[in-house]
Amino acid sequence: MKKMKFPLLFMLVSLISLQSCESDLDIKPEAGNVFLSDEFFAQPNAYQNAIAGVYANLALTGTEGPGSSNIGGLDAGTSQYGRCLWYMQELVTDEAIWSYEGDGGVRDLQRNVWVSDNPIIRGIFSRAHFQVAICNEFLRQSTPSLVASRNVANPAVIEEYRQEVRVLRALAYYHMMDLFGKAVFTDETFSVVQAGEEYNRQQLFEYIESELLEVLPSLKAPRTNQEGRLDAAMARMILAKMYLNAEVYIGQPKYNECVTQLDAIIAGGYQLAPNYLLNFSADNNTSPEMIFAIQSDGRFTQNFGPTTVMINGSVGSIEQNGANLGVSAGGWGGALRLREQFVSKFDGTAFSNDARNTIISGVRDRVITDVANRDQGFILAKYSNKSSTGAAGTNPTFVDTDFPLFRLGDAYLMYAECFLRGASNANQANALGYVNALRERANGDSSQNITANQLTLDFILDERARELHWEAHRRQDLIRFGRFTGGTYNWAWKGNAQNGVAIGAFRAVYPVPILAISANPNLTQNPGY
């Protein structure tokens, strides 16, 4: 299918400033890029361009190229949606560490000592609420009556756009519910001068659930929409993730509900990619298991997003292996490395031929005693700016590799976990079959398949790390398994100690940025901050 092209479209500066949760969340007006509603929507293809702009906020940060940011006081690196999400789900865990701790906010995140003025925390909070504001404005400008008054051809297509925008808004609220346990709530019924309300996890859960269940019948069937746009399976994945984590979010188990959504997703026509690494290559948009990804294109959507960061950052300071990954030889000089606890998930001969094991050890020490020493710690070659046939991406810095938010492999492991947690509508045969399908794909045969007795929750947590590492799931998984806060499971530099120490339970959610609280009297701080 034809891929969406993202125009650099963002809302009127005064509109977004009033909708935003921070007084300094300024959207910078550049001539030709900021539009007034009636004038803009009178143009041909206006709604098509507008929906592309809504999707674009997941990838782009500004209207002046990859180094620009339309959120005041934040640079492109700390205001890109996917990158901030990746930092807050991965850098705070046992899976990765960033060498350059002088980069704003990184040190405190990866040592689990963050405070409420952290710029990366502010980045995802601001970007997600900006996404809500854009979605709200699209919905205000696309009501059936307005569309009719503007004599728009094919209004049924505009109605399809509306349902997709509601899902994109739900996605932003889902991330806020997971990361912060609260959000500033507004929808299209709020005026642009009206302060948003604080919604807690229970309120957000109920709102997101009701929105997604309502729009599901109107969404396109799985794998039938234009590439880059969402379909019913993507909405079901949000629901499934909510239900899987419902005991964390609202104190109620909803594993049966999770399985209902997973069954529909698995029946939707997706298939495991024959090669695991196809999901992380420059042409991963062709993977048959990709449910939804944040688009990346070295020509048209240049940004410092998660895949650009991971691929350039995976180039080792010793190895200079950028050519193997489709970027410049030195990449970013060893920016990213692996913590030893993650490396141990692939210890043993059972993982020698596992396609998911892309760890490069070389002459490196496994243990990182000095975070700034880029020669310590193993490196990873999971993501690549080369295609599945070995062709380099279109740009040696800004990659063509999409960032997978949801894929079928995750749905398989979620089903197995629900079975183990007591879902009455899941069965052992399917759970074991899904897990072994992933292991057969990874090994090329059934030699590393597991038995029913080996299928345990501890196994699932480790298998999720092996299958889904660096895909922005790890923090959420560790919290659900009771391994993130406290001292049950420690990893290198957890709690700002080389061997890891316990961290307080309050760190299961992030603090609300202090600027957001100062701008909106309805917002309150999370306990412990």
Side-chain angles (χ1 to χ4, degrees):
M1 297 180 187
K2 186 178 179 182
K3 206 167 189 174
M4 293 182 76
K5 292 294 198 312
F6 289 153
L8 303 183
L9 295 177
F10 295 97
M11 300 295 156
L12 181 65
V13 57
S14 59
L15 172 69
I16 294 298
S17 295
L18 289 168
Q19 275 282 76
S20 75
C21 56
E22 299 185 24
S23 60
D24 69 336
L25 195 164
D26 297 325
I27 310 308
K28 302 173 184 176
E30 287 87 13
N33 291 322
V34 176
F35 57 88
L36 293 167
S37 297
D38 288 337
E39 179 182 348
F40 174 80
F41 284 104
Q43 301 172 41
N45 301 318
Y47 284 99
Q48 180 180 353
N49 289 334
I51 186 70
V54 177
Y55 278 97
N57 187 54
L58 297 176
L60 304 178
T61 56
T63 60
E64 295 182 329
S68 67
S69 174
N70 49 32
I71 295 180
L74 291 174
D75 64 22
T78 52
S79 65
Q80 204 275 351
Y81 199 117
R83 179 172 177 172
C84 289
L85 179 67
W86 188 86
Y87 276 4
M88 294 175 71
Q89 296 284 16
E90 296 290 347
L91 277 188
V92 300
T93 75
D94 58 348
E95 290 195 345
I97 200 160
W98 184 258
S99 302
Y100 306 118
E101 292 198 301
D103 290 358
V106 168
R107 182 186 187 278
D108 289 353
L109 277 183
Q110 65 184 15
R111 294 177 186 241
N112 311 103
V113 292
W114 56 78
V115 292
S116 59
D117 64 352
N118 185 288
I120 298 169
I121 293 175
R122 181 181 164 229
I124 190 64
F125 194 91
S126 300
R127 182 63 61 183
H129 284 92
F130 183 29
Q131 179 77 351
V132 170
I134 295 173
C135 291
N136 287 344
E137 185 60 15
F138 184 94
L139 293 171
R140 292 189 192 100
Q141 297 298 331
S142 59
T143 61
S145 59
L146 266 180
V147 169
S149 70
R150 290 167 175 161
N151 297 315
V152 177
N154 202 351
V157 172
I158 312 305
E159 188 59 31
E160 290 179 0
Y161 293 165
R162 285 178 59 83
Q163 307 315 312
E164 292 176 34
V165 166
R166 292 173 69 181
V167 177
L168 291 173
R169 181 174 61 185
L171 177 69
Y173 278 133
Y174 159 70
H175 286 141
M176 291 298 94
M177 176 179 65
D178 180 70
L179 295 169
F180 296 94
K182 61 176 62 177
V184 178
F185 179 80
T186 59
D187 63 15
E188 69 273 24
T189 67
F190 280 61
S191 74
V192 296
V193 298
Q194 188 175 355
E197 303 172 7
E198 178 178 282
Y199 266 31
N200 60 29
R201 269 184 167 164
Q202 182 75 44
Q203 292 169 304
L204 288 169
F205 191 101
E206 292 173 358
Y207 172 77
I208 299 165
E209 181 184 37
S210 64
E211 274 285 279
L212 294 177
L213 291 176
E214 185 175 319
V215 302
L216 262 174
S218 303
L219 297 174
K220 286 187 176 293
R223 299 179 58 79
T224 64
N225 208 350
Q226 180 184 10
E227 184 181 324
R229 287 170 55 192
L230 63 88
D231 57 30
M234 187 274 207
R236 291 188 186 278
M237 276 297 286
I238 301 174
L239 283 168
K241 286 288 186 182
M242 289 171 53
Y243 293 143
L244 183 68
N245 292 282
E247 286 191 285
V248 173
Y249 296 156
I250 59 173
Q252 300 175 33
K254 288 188 175 288
Y255 302 112
N256 281 6
E257 292 88 341
C258 184
V259 169
T260 297
Q261 298 303 324
L262 294 171
D263 281 340
I265 293 164
I266 293 168
Y270 297 95
Q271 297 177 342
L272 292 183
N275 180 347
Y276 173 74
L277 293 179
L278 174 59
N279 293 302
F280 316 103
S281 64
D283 57 349
N284 63 348
N285 58 298
T286 66
S287 170
E289 73 178 276
M290 197 71 74
I291 295 172
F292 187 75
I294 297 177
Q295 289 192 53
S296 184
D297 188 299
R299 298 163 298 175
F300 301 115
T301 62
Q302 293 184 358
N303 64 83
F304 291 102
T307 48
T308 287
V309 168
M310 286 186 285
I311 295 170
N312 285 279
S314 293
V315 178
S317 57
I318 299 171
E319 296 78 6
Q320 299 286 293
N321 57 315
N324 296 333
L325 300 177
V327 294
S328 59
W332 290 356
L336 280 169
R337 289 159 293 137
L338 298 168
R339 306 196 203 209
E340 61 195 89
Q341 288 74 22
F342 169 73
V343 172
S344 70
K345 303 294 187 285
F346 285 101
D347 280 348
T349 57
F351 302 103
S352 297
N353 298 314
D354 194 313
R356 302 170 300 182
N357 182 4
T358 64
I359 296 170
I360 298 173
S361 56
V363 298
R364 292 173 166 272
D365 293 328
R366 177 190 290 229
V367 177
I368 299 172
T369 60
D370 178 3
V371 175
N373 186 341
R374 295 168 293 154
D375 297 346
Q376 292 182 341
F378 296 169
I379 60 174
L380 192 72
K382 175 172 176 172
Y383 287 88
S384 170
N385 191 34
K386 283 190 172 181
S387 73
S388 54
T389 60
T394 57
N395 188 293
T397 298
F398 301 106
V399 304
D400 291 338
T401 312
D402 296 344
F403 179 62
L405 277 183
F406 303 123
R407 61 182 178 88
L408 182 64
D410 188 11
Y412 279 2
L413 290 172
M414 290 167 67
Y415 182 102
E417 183 178 336
C418 286
F419 164 72
L420 292 169
R421 293 189 184 275
S424 61
N425 54 347
N427 64 73
Q428 186 180 70
N430 283 345
L432 192 62
Y434 292 150
V435 170
N436 282 333
L438 295 175
R439 293 174 76 83
E440 287 185 29
R441 191 256 300 270
N443 290 280
D445 57 37
S446 61
S447 61
Q448 299 304 322
N449 283 14
I450 65 166
T451 65
N453 289 337
Q454 292 172 299
L455 185 62
T456 66
L457 283 173
D458 283 343
F459 168 86
I460 286 293
L461 180 59
D462 284 350
E463 193 71 358
R464 286 187 64 81
R466 286 186 282 263
E467 177 72 25
L468 300 166
H469 57 278
W470 287 26
E471 296 181 51
H473 300 295
R474 187 60 171 170
R475 167 192 160 274
Q476 185 185 86
D477 289 348
L478 289 174
I479 290 173
R480 188 172 65 256
F481 279 80
R483 309 285 176 85
F484 185 68
T485 60
T488 302
Y489 173 52
N490 291 331
W491 55 85
W493 298 104
K494 178 183 177 181
N496 200 21
Q498 181 185 328
N499 295 319
V501 295
I503 59 176
F506 69 94
R507 293 197 183 276
V509 293
Y510 288 101
V512 178
I514 55 174
L515 287 174
I517 292 175
S518 65
N520 187 335
N522 295 330
L523 267 178
T524 60
Q525 187 55 273
N526 282 321
Y529 295 106

